[in-house]
Amino acid sequence: MCGRFTLTETIQKLQMAFEFEYSGGEIVPRYNIAPSQNILTVIGNGEQRIGKQMKWGLVPFWAKDEKIGFKMINARAEGIDSKTSFKTPFKRKRCLILADGFYEWRKTEEGKQPYRFIMKDEEPFALAGVWDTWNKGENPLMSCTIITTDPNEVTEEVHDRMPVILKKSDFEDWLNPNFNDTDYLKSLLVPYPAEKMDKYPVSSKVNSPKNERAELISPLNSL
């Protein structure tokens, strides 16, 4: 699964890297993003890319209660086109979830040790997601989930799943709501090339979502 991630880049750099328009308010560095919080996503309307703040934890349009989102932070790639909660968004409501690192935990004799996973070039990247709008509350709620897949050689030492990281060349098809080749879209939901990624242990302070400081992303042996 993917239960925490980071996004510390400026909105200007993100807009240049992912080519989207944004008018959703201030973006501040985030060092410990947790489920149920608002996160920065990018969606497409067939003509342009638009940055949107969405709640992390998918609330399907048909849900009776938005609390269902707490159970919908991840969607397995294997069932994305068949599970009731995800198959409709997968057809037309796909998004990029922007990040520059994510956390996973490895079980040890001393307890769970958190690791941060990044690109070797330390550039931001896009996680594959699907989104939906829930209209049964006081205001419309846009929410999303992160799609996960099998681990690559970098992540498998820590966890048996990893978030799907999309290649830049796949953004256009993924974001196009009019592109519905299910088999092709599912073919994108594979482990990211391990040779482009790196990992390092970090402080257990990241275990609590209440902690949100730059020191959380420092390598453990440098603290």
Side-chain angles (χ1 to χ4, degrees), residues 35-167:
S36 80
Q37 297 177 351
N38 284 342
I39 60 178
L40 180 60
T41 71
V42 177
I43 64 174
N45 62 9
E47 297 180 359
Q48 61 179 339
R49 300 176 188 176
I50 305 167
K52 292 284 186 180
Q53 291 283 339
M54 295 189 195
K55 186 175 182 178
W56 182 12
L58 188 76
V59 182
F61 72 92
W62 46 260
K64 294 181 179 180
D65 193 321
E66 68 176 292
K67 291 181 181 178
I68 193 175
F70 290 110
K71 301 178 181 179
M72 301 282 192
I73 66 169
N74 290 160
R76 294 177 69 93
E78 298 88 333
I80 193 69
D81 60 338
S82 59
K83 297 291 185 181
T84 302
S85 301
F86 308 126
K87 65 180 181 180
T88 299
F90 182 61
K91 291 179 180 179
R92 297 185 62 86
K93 295 182 177 179
R94 300 177 297 271
C95 64
L96 308 180
I97 296 171
L98 305 189
D100 56 17
F102 64 91
Y103 299 109
E104 294 292 359
W105 283 257
R106 179 161 66 183
K107 294 180 180 180
T108 69
E109 293 182 356
E110 292 75 30
K112 291 186 176 181
Q113 172 61 55
Y115 283 77
R116 184 172 183 242
F117 295 83
I118 60 173
M119 295 295 126
K120 284 186 176 179
D121 62 9
E122 300 186 2
E123 290 297 311
F125 50 89
L127 307 179
V130 295
W131 65 278
D132 209 343
T133 301
W134 187 69
N135 289 304
K136 297 180 181 179
E138 292 184 6
N139 299 298
L141 173 66
M142 295 182 72
S143 61
C144 62
T145 189
I146 295 172
I147 301 173
T148 67
T149 187
D150 294 326
N152 61 19
E153 291 84 351
V154 174
T155 57
E156 68 181 358
E157 296 178 358
V158 177
H159 202 275
D160 61 359
R161 301 290 292 179
M162 70 175 291
V164 172
I165 300 171
L166 293 172
K167 298 176 182 178

Side-chain angles (χ1 to χ4, degrees), residues 14-23 41-52 94-96 98 126 167-177:
L14 294 171
Q15 285 181 286
M16 289 181 62
F18 300 99
E19 302 175 345
F20 65 95
E21 300 296 323
Y22 181 74
S23 58
T41 71
V42 177
I43 64 174
N45 62 9
E47 297 180 359
Q48 61 179 339
R49 300 176 188 176
I50 305 167
K52 292 284 186 180
R94 300 177 297 271
C95 64
L96 308 180
L98 305 189
K167 298 176 182 178
K168 190 171 184 178
S169 58
D170 296 326
F171 291 174
E172 204 63 36
D173 288 335
W174 184 256
L175 292 177
N176 186 350

